[in-house]
Amino acid sequence: MIIEYVGVSEINGSLIVLDGVKGASYEEIVTIKLADGSARQGRIVQIEGERIVVQVFEGTSNISLDNTATILTGRPMEMPLSPEIVGRILDGAGRPIDGLGPIYPETRRDINGTAINPVSRVYPRNYINTGISSIDTLSTLIRGQKLPIFSGSGMKHNELAVQIVRQAKITGADESNFGVVFAAMGVKNDVAEYFRRSFEEAGVMQHVTMLLNLSNDPIIERTLTPRCALTIAEYLAFELNMHILVIMTDMTSYAEALREFSSSKGEIPGRKGFPGYLYSDLASMYERAGMIKGSTGSVTQIPILTMPNDDITHPVPDLTGYITEGQIVLDRALQAQGIYPPVNVLPSLSRLMKDGIGEGFTRADHAPLSNQLFASYAKVIDARSLASVIGEEELSDTDKKYIEFGRQFENTFVNQGFTENRSIDQSLDLGWKLLSTLPREELDRVDDEMLDKFYQAT
Amino acid sequence: MANVIYGVNGPVVTVKEATEFSMMEMVYVGKERLVGEVIGITSAYTTIQCYEETTGLMPGDPVEGTHTRMNLLLGPGILDNIFDGIERPLAQIEKECGAFINRGSTVSPLDTEKEWDVTITVKVGDELKGGMIYATTPETHIITHKMMVPPTLSGKVVEVKPDGKYKLHDTIVKIEDSFGEIHELSLCQRWPIRTPRPVKERLTPTVPLITGQRVIDTLFPVSKGGTAAIPGGFGTGKTMTQHQLAKWCDADIIVYVGCGERGNEMSQVLQEFSELIDPKSGHPMTDRTTLIANTSNMPVAAREASIYTGITLAEYYRDMGYDVAIMADSTSRWAEALREISGRLEEMPAEEGFPAYLPSRLSEFYERAGRADVLSGTQGSVTIIGAVSPQGSDFSEPVTQNTKRFTRCFWALDKSLAYARHYPAINWNDSYSEYFTDLDSWYEENCGKEFIEYRGRISALLQEENRLMEIVKLIGSDVLPDDQKLIIEIAKIIRVGFLQQNAFHKDDTYVPLEKQKRMMQVILHLYDRAKLVVAENIPISRIREQGLFEKVTKIKYDIPNDHLEMFDDYIKDIDDKIQAILH
């Protein structure tokens, strides 16, 4: 027998409170039927005896104290999954919106997933060639990694993400087994459209599953979108052995939705009003990247987040940086100079890079070269700050060479066309060419043998 | 009346009108018997924090008490193993339920079927006090596990089994206490995680923990039984430094706690440590290591417990007389877990939302480090090296500040050094060690008086450079007089050639103290000689032309760790070249 609980006893933001409910379980999904015949879904977020707090995904507008009938479904939030999900467009809660009908599930999965046993993880070491010099050489993307793009409003993170998807090359037998899951959270309609069009133009649309929660869609649904996306990704990767790249944009909107939910629930706020569990919450998504034993597939994540006021110490980029394995930081000053992609290489980092490059993966000189580029470019910054005080003319000869090196590095190495796909050899050789403009004794991160081979004095 | 769940909010579960629970008691929650711990009691409600995901729990589900506090099973099999935050064996769980962790797992923490080769060291009639050893077994190739009487027990041995093969729970010795009660001793015992294990007497830590990392051993040493904090924003190399220490430090046992950190990092540790061969013993590093992995997506309450689990395991091996080092990566995640649970309990927050008891919890934890006369009659130590991840890379936040109060070694990681890929990115101006005075006599005895003298001169040069750089930033280095330019050149050699260390280079990853000393000697020798040149008003560029600066900078790569006699050639070369310039 299905019990309908009529009416609610409290409404607060996206939350409703019901009394006298028996047999409710934590995080269970409920269906709320409205008097006008429409139905909404919600999730139980707190239980106190017979009093339950329900989060309504579609929002509480039009709900009054007595116009609802609530039914417990007895199940946590699940995602219907089948191989046919590839190529579909879904809404933020995972329901098809492309007019191609419902998904006939082969299986269902709890969208919260379960933690991967650290023992069962396979340490990722196969690199993905993105064809972008600043990433391939200096912050190499590894299959199974989570590498966010830290950006700001108005910067070209979307273009960069599209370029990565278009150019990302998985070599070997798995080549055709590549797929993209794209989750949009609170992005504008034209941004979502830009991604869709770009995927189509790149001819990858049949491998892409899109989940769209646009900026005018319900906030609470936004907190589900990345989880639905990752559930799809895990299914495709670990059961169908595909290599899945998950792009999630924009994580800042997600975190703000979580804050809104938390504050309407009356929780004690932490930093900048975000709930104290923001770290655990973000981790429960980011940690779903990886590779596991017993499957040849992989989940690689590129979350995109906009730093409010370009502040990297804001809680969202800060906590993200502590969880993800590195970050790619975009820089407004570089963009203003017309450099694309505006990757600021110094704070950018890929933690998994060291084991996925070098002999057998890229080239033996890769690690020393990237170390040296970082070290030399750091000196460029010192020289520039000195030049801003005493003027470029007054600098020592070495410092002048650094200034010139910095200019070349930004204009020819970091800067590359939106459609320019550089092979790893091209990128590395370009790096050596730039380093050769510096005096040989300045290159202290490379041993002599390597220098003899690659340093070409001019 | 059976106790049942009343409310659920995240990891916090409440039970109404229960009377028989006690604080910190371990309980089983729900039909799946999830592990939980009682953290609050009022006459109306008992509050429980649950160590597993609470999805699906409903009011009316049973809650069952165990009448014991949250405790660990201690016995052979801890080493070369990997556990989650509440000592569940992850490899066993993988066998049971695959790559994803299911809830309510009931696997025994230690292998109960394995037979250990036990040698019994007591005989009938012996008087045993708490903590004394009654049997030993080789746990791994290099570590002998010593079975100790639980610290709370003592009595006379009344029955002893012969030496031989026994399983974990087999009784091998029986003792009779002063009340005439017989206690059976097996290969294992239990101990509550939040209670420090007792010692006979605490000692001053006077022996350094040798890590082979130059900036630590020379400038900021930590003692065996000391405490050190590694604070640093993301990307500054906290984890990398912890890994280096875990691999190379000269402790007997390593307990590595991955508290709220990345899963891929843990799999890297697992893989690297099993491939790495300990140069001293010739056996894999895992033989002396136990890992506790509670990654950031595993339940938050177990993350809070993982730190205590780690320190309890460390104390257990200390009691056998070993030097144990525990790496906690990262204590900030633990503090955040405290904050998260505190928030769910609706406690009044103090600074930045952290609970008011954060400082006392931190000090309790760090106080469990130390060198001591242990109950088994020898000496052992626990060294705590805790990573701190300051929010927003701001060292003034509560966790860093409070950690600073309770640790005596502070290795501040610096973002700008990390950006320049200067690793380990330990900033020599912000870091400190308070152990110098305790350790000086050891250094004098083992490395000679010069070591301390060199160290003093090296840090003075770095200080001097720091002062000069203020000027250089304003007006450039060209205007400095030659003697100051020389200081900048030498300090650069110290920074690049000495402080910077390459973890991926076969020789540079671990550098013995003797080589560290000789390196300092050569750098300072170059400085002293070059000063003569400057005194003659010969421009510094003459020395640079000779390639001496470069050559000394590359000593770390050019002189292998087992060819220290090559340093003499360097000294001679410096003398010859400077002589040539002077004439």
Side-chain angles (χ1 to χ4, degrees):
Chain A
M1 186 190 69
I2 297 169
I3 300 175
E4 288 190 0
Y5 296 95
V6 176
V8 299
S9 44
E10 213 176 288
I11 305 169
N12 177 12
S14 59
L15 301 178
I16 57 173
V17 180
L18 281 80
D19 280 304
V21 179
K22 290 195 174 66
S25 64
Y26 188 63
E27 301 223 302
E28 177 177 351
I29 293 297
V30 301
T31 308
I32 303 147
K33 290 200 285 191
L34 267 65
D36 62 7
S38 65
R40 298 185 190 182
Q41 285 205 311
R43 177 171 56 173
I44 299 177
V45 292
Q46 195 173 339
I47 303 176
E48 269 181 75
E50 296 186 342
R51 182 184 169 90
I52 62 169
V53 181
V54 175
Q55 178 192 41
V56 185
F57 299 145
E58 293 89 345
T60 49
S61 58
N62 287 338
I63 292 183
S64 76
L65 289 181
D66 51 11
N67 70 350
T68 63
T70 306
I71 301 165
L72 302 179
T73 63
R75 284 204 316 258
M77 178 87 187
E78 282 173 338
M79 182 83 206
L81 295 166
S82 85
E84 268 109 67
I85 205 156
V86 180
R88 301 294 300 268
I89 300 178
L90 316 170
D91 73 358
R95 292 168 296 220
I97 49 170
D98 51 6
L100 298 175
I103 292 156
Y104 295 100
E106 281 193 358
T107 175
R108 287 174 179 277
R109 288 276 181 284
D110 182 350
I111 63 158
N112 291 314
T114 40
I116 299 178
N117 189 330
V119 175
S120 311
R121 279 183 187 269
V122 176
Y123 184 57
R125 37 191 334 164
N126 208 338
Y127 91 108
I128 297 179
N129 191 357
T130 65
I132 297 168
S133 295
S134 47
I135 296 177
D136 286 348
T137 316
L138 299 171
S139 334
T140 317
L141 178 65
I142 307 288
R143 213 186 278 177
Q145 185 176 22
K146 39 196 178 293
L147 189 66
I149 299 176
F150 286 9
S151 181
S153 320
M155 281 201 269
K156 300 206 165 175
H157 44 264
N158 294 333
E159 285 80 353
L160 181 57
V162 165
Q163 193 174 2
I164 292 175
V165 168
R166 205 179 46 217
Q167 299 181 355
K169 235 192 353 235
I170 294 205
T171 44
D174 295 338
E175 206 162 343
S176 58
N177 233 346
F178 178 67
V180 176
V181 175
F182 175 80
M185 291 156 283
V187 302
K188 286 192 285 291
N189 197 15
D190 32 341
V191 173
E193 186 54 32
Y194 169 76
F195 274 104
R196 201 185 57 78
R197 212 178 48 238
S198 307
F199 291 152
E200 250 165 28
E201 280 164 11
V204 291
M205 196 56 210
Q206 68 274 24
H207 305 295
V208 178
T209 309
M210 295 185 91
L211 289 101
L212 302 178
N213 171 280
L214 304 177
S215 46
N216 56 349
D217 285 337
I219 292 265
I220 293 306
E221 208 176 87
R222 200 165 294 164
T223 61
L224 301 175
T225 310
R227 294 192 164 78
C228 292
L230 289 164
T231 308
I232 297 171
E234 278 177 353
Y235 168 75
L236 296 176
F238 301 142
E239 289 185 35
L240 304 183
N241 294 323
M242 289 173 72
H243 295 287
I244 301 295
L245 180 64
V246 185
I247 296 179
M248 304 191 283
T249 181
D250 164 346
M251 291 309 290
T252 312
S253 303
Y254 166 83
E256 279 162 1
L258 192 71
R259 174 168 69 180
E260 192 172 328
F261 155 67
S262 162
S263 92
S264 65
K265 207 174 147 198
E267 290 171 336
I268 294 171
R271 218 160 28 128
K272 292 217 169 162
F274 287 100
Y277 51 80
L278 182 61
Y279 178 83
S280 301
D281 190 272
L282 289 174
S284 71
M285 293 180 294
Y286 294 145
E287 275 294 323
R288 291 170 80 172
M291 300 170 78
I292 59 170
K293 289 177 193 162
S295 161
T296 56
S298 64
V299 176
T300 310
Q301 288 184 16
I302 301 187
I304 300 174
L305 49 93
T306 48
M307 300 181 279
N309 202 19
D310 294 351
D311 176 11
I312 201 169
T313 65
H314 182 277
V316 179
D318 190 41
L319 296 178
T320 298
Y322 278 122
I323 305 164
T324 54
E325 286 130 356
Q327 63 276 337
I328 292 168
V329 183
L330 304 189
D331 185 77
R332 202 171 290 277
L334 285 176
Q335 172 150 331
Q337 286 172 42
I339 289 167
Y340 170 86
V343 175
N344 186 356
V345 298
L346 290 184
S348 299
L349 167 80
S350 163
R351 289 163 189 275
L352 299 183
M353 162 179 180
K354 58 183 186 297
D355 295 311
I357 60 168
E359 199 107 53
F361 298 102
T362 55
R363 244 169 52 179
D365 56 319
H366 190 160
L369 171 73
S370 68
N371 265 331
Q372 187 61 55
L373 281 172
F374 275 121
S376 300
Y377 189 61
K379 284 199 185 135
V380 171
I381 305 299
D382 290 344
R384 278 186 190 158
S385 64
L386 185 57
S388 69
V389 179
I390 61 172
E392 217 176 300
E393 287 306 302
E394 300 297 316
L395 291 177
S396 66
D397 284 348
T398 315
D399 280 346
K400 277 185 192 148
K401 284 200 173 124
Y402 271 115
I403 297 273
E404 183 51 29
F405 164 78
R407 215 170 276 145
Q408 291 292 332
F409 179 77
E410 284 163 7
N411 288 328
T412 61
F413 189 86
V414 178
N415 193 20
Q416 77 182 82
F418 179 58
T419 51
E420 190 181 349
N421 191 350
R422 292 190 194 147
S423 72
I424 187 75
D425 281 328
Q426 277 174 326
S427 293
L428 294 177
D429 290 342
L430 185 56
W432 282 114
K433 199 174 138 206
L434 288 170
L435 283 179
S436 299
T437 64
L438 291 171
R440 183 170 161 151
E441 61 271 17
E442 288 293 319
L443 308 181
D444 49 20
R445 304 301 170 92
V446 190
D447 58 30
D448 282 329
E449 197 184 321
M450 201 88 60
L451 279 179
D452 289 341
K453 197 165 162 203
F454 292 101
Y455 184 82
Q456 312 123 0
T458 41
Chain B
M1 187 189 91
N3 294 305
V4 295
I5 295 177
Y6 175 74
V8 188
N9 181 10
V12 175
V13 172
T14 48
V15 177
K16 209 175 178 182
E17 287 163 5
T19 48
E20 70 264 36
F21 292 124
S22 56
M23 278 299 273
M24 301 300 155
E25 179 176 343
M26 191 172 121
V27 293
Y28 293 114
V29 179
K31 298 184 192 91
E32 290 173 290
R33 290 170 60 87
L34 315 181
V35 179
E37 185 178 19
V38 177
I39 54 169
I41 299 174
T42 63
S43 60
Y45 301 105
T46 303
T47 309
I48 293 164
Q49 66 172 344
C50 201
Y51 288 123
E52 298 177 70
E53 293 299 336
T54 50
T55 302
L57 289 182
M58 47 164 72
D61 281 354
V63 177
E64 188 188 318
T66 61
H67 306 289
T68 53
R69 284 174 293 170
M70 192 64 209
N71 58 43
L72 299 184
L73 185 65
L74 301 169
I78 293 173
L79 294 181
D80 194 11
N81 210 337
I82 174 166
F83 302 103
D84 78 349
I86 48 172
E87 210 202 7
R88 285 184 304 189
L90 289 171
Q92 251 14 74
I93 289 181
E94 184 192 30
K95 271 184 211 150
E96 197 180 77
C97 60
F100 294 89
I101 298 175
N102 285 353
R103 297 185 300 171
S105 162
T106 50
V107 192
S108 162
L110 304 175
D111 191 340
T112 51
E113 292 307 310
K114 180 166 179 178
E115 292 192 322
W116 298 94
D117 225 333
V118 179
T119 312
I120 291 165
T121 56
V122 293
K123 55 185 187 303
V124 173
D126 283 357
E127 280 291 339
L128 286 184
K129 288 212 185 77
M132 284 169 77
I133 294 163
Y134 57 85
T136 62
T137 182
E139 183 173 357
T140 62
H141 296 289
I142 46 175
I143 299 295
T144 304
H145 195 101
K146 298 165 190 169
M147 269 63 86
M148 297 168 293
V149 182
T152 48
L153 205 64
S154 61
K156 191 192 269 183
V157 178
V158 291
E159 196 185 322
V160 169
K161 289 266 174 66
D163 293 355
K165 286 194 180 298
Y166 294 98
K167 290 181 190 167
L168 194 70
H169 289 292
D170 291 344
T171 301
I172 50 173
V173 170
K174 284 184 186 170
I175 62 173
E176 183 181 356
D177 66 15
S178 51
F179 304 104
E181 204 174 317
I182 306 285
H183 297 271
E184 297 183 341
L185 300 178
S186 65
L187 305 192
C188 59
Q189 57 174 294
R190 288 192 167 270
W191 189 262
I193 59 171
R194 292 178 203 278
T195 313
R197 286 174 65 89
V199 294
K200 209 180 277 168
E201 196 189 353
R202 296 188 59 139
L203 304 169
T204 320
T206 50
V207 180
L209 184 78
I210 302 301
T211 64
Q213 311 302 306
R214 286 184 295 261
V215 60
I216 293 175
D217 287 349
T218 304
L219 291 181
F220 309 108
V222 64
S223 62
K224 289 202 174 95
T227 49
I230 315 181
F234 58 82
T236 50
K238 283 183 303 297
T239 303
M240 200 56 220
T241 312
Q242 292 269 34
H243 285 193
Q244 278 299 97
L245 296 179
K247 281 181 205 162
W248 301 114
C249 79
D250 66 344
D252 301 316
I253 310 266
I254 304 289
V255 179
Y256 194 98
V257 187
C259 171
E261 286 290 316
R262 304 174 180 87
N264 281 335
E265 252 164 28
M266 290 317 293
S267 73
Q268 182 197 353
V269 172
L270 273 176
Q271 192 190 333
E272 271 186 13
F273 282 29
S274 57
E275 285 168 2
L276 257 181
I277 301 296
D278 182 358
K280 280 161 282 184
S281 66
H283 289 290
M285 287 287 178
T286 40
D287 275 5
R288 63 162 195 173
T289 310
T290 182
L291 291 170
I292 295 168
N294 211 82
T295 55
S296 53
N297 56 340
M298 285 155 81
V300 64
R303 191 186 311 160
E304 194 265 337
S306 64
I307 290 278
Y308 294 104
T309 301
I311 192 82
T312 307
L313 294 180
E315 284 178 342
Y316 178 62
Y317 280 95
R318 173 205 64 197
D319 288 350
M320 296 177 202
Y322 291 113
D323 289 318
V324 188
I326 166 170
M327 320 284 159
D329 186 17
S330 134
T331 56
S332 291
R333 303 291 158 247
W334 168 66
E336 275 159 20
L338 276 182
R339 172 168 74 180
E340 194 171 325
I341 293 159
S342 161
R344 301 271 189 193
L345 298 176
E346 298 180 358
E347 291 169 341
M348 184 71 78
E351 258 178 303
E352 303 237 10
F354 286 104
Y357 46 78
L358 173 71
S360 60
R361 291 283 169 88
L362 273 170
S363 68
E364 274 168 28
F365 169 64
Y366 282 108
E367 272 308 297
R368 289 176 78 169
R371 205 165 78 92
D373 271 330
V374 292
L375 297 173
S376 61
T378 53
Q379 290 182 356
S381 68
V382 173
T383 312
I384 301 183
I385 298 167
V388 183
S389 324
Q391 10 181 318
S393 307
D394 171 15
F395 284 3
S396 67
E397 57 93 42
V399 184
T400 317
Q401 279 310 313
N402 285 309
T403 304
K404 224 173 166 174
R405 286 164 56 202
F406 308 120
T407 56
R408 291 181 62 197
C409 226
F410 192 74
W411 299 325
L413 299 183
D414 189 325
K415 215 171 207 168
S416 58
L417 290 176
Y419 283 179
R421 299 310 186 257
H422 172 118
Y423 290 123
I426 296 176
N427 183 311
W428 48 92
N429 294 313
D430 298 341
S431 306
Y432 58 80
S433 166
E434 293 176 15
Y435 290 108
F436 278 132
T437 40
D438 294 338
L439 298 177
D440 272 357
S441 58
W442 187 94
Y443 275 106
E444 243 180 82
E445 225 165 86
N446 294 276
C447 310
K449 260 201 159 68
E450 327 77 91
F451 192 94
I452 300 169
E453 182 209 321
Y454 294 158
R455 177 176 72 201
R457 292 189 61 194
I458 293 275
S459 49
L461 278 167
L462 288 169
Q463 286 300 325
E464 185 65 17
E465 187 213 19
N466 192 35
R467 200 178 60 82
L468 291 174
M469 285 318 267
E470 299 283 307
I471 305 173
V472 172
K473 269 187 205 140
L474 287 177
I475 54 173
S477 60
D478 276 359
V479 294
L480 290 180
D482 263 5
D483 59 333
Q484 295 190 340
K485 266 189 204 155
L486 178 64
I487 290 177
I488 289 193
E489 285 290 348
I490 297 293
K492 188 178 154 201
I493 297 176
I494 297 174
R495 281 190 285 114
V496 179
F498 187 77
L499 298 181
Q500 206 180 88
Q501 197 163 345
N502 188 342
F504 305 113
H505 190 277
K506 64 177 181 358
D507 279 316
D508 208 32
T509 185
Y510 173 89
V511 181
L513 276 184
E514 185 59 23
K515 184 176 170 191
Q516 299 189 18
K517 187 176 103 179
R518 300 296 307 264
M519 286 174 77
M520 289 196 284
Q521 184 198 8
V522 170
I523 295 171
L524 291 168
H525 185 76
L526 174 63
Y527 177 52
D528 292 338
R529 293 283 135 174
K531 267 201 291 200
L532 297 178
V533 176
V534 172
E536 294 288 323
N537 284 327
I538 303 171
I540 257 192
S541 51
R542 292 284 305 279
I543 311 174
R544 198 177 290 132
E545 283 157 14
Q546 297 287 338
L548 277 178
F549 294 144
E550 252 181 277
K551 188 173 173 193
V552 173
T553 308
K554 290 199 166 148
I555 283 187
K556 58 178 176 183
Y557 298 139
D558 294 344
I559 299 189
N561 290 342
D562 47 0
H563 283 286
L564 298 187
E565 72 284 351
M566 286 168 69
F567 277 102
D568 298 333
D569 305 339
Y570 276 74
I571 301 250
K572 188 165 175 304
D573 188 43
I574 292 171
D575 287 343
D576 291 349
K577 286 188 172 144
I578 298 277
Q579 205 60 33
I581 297 171
L582 285 171
H583 287 103

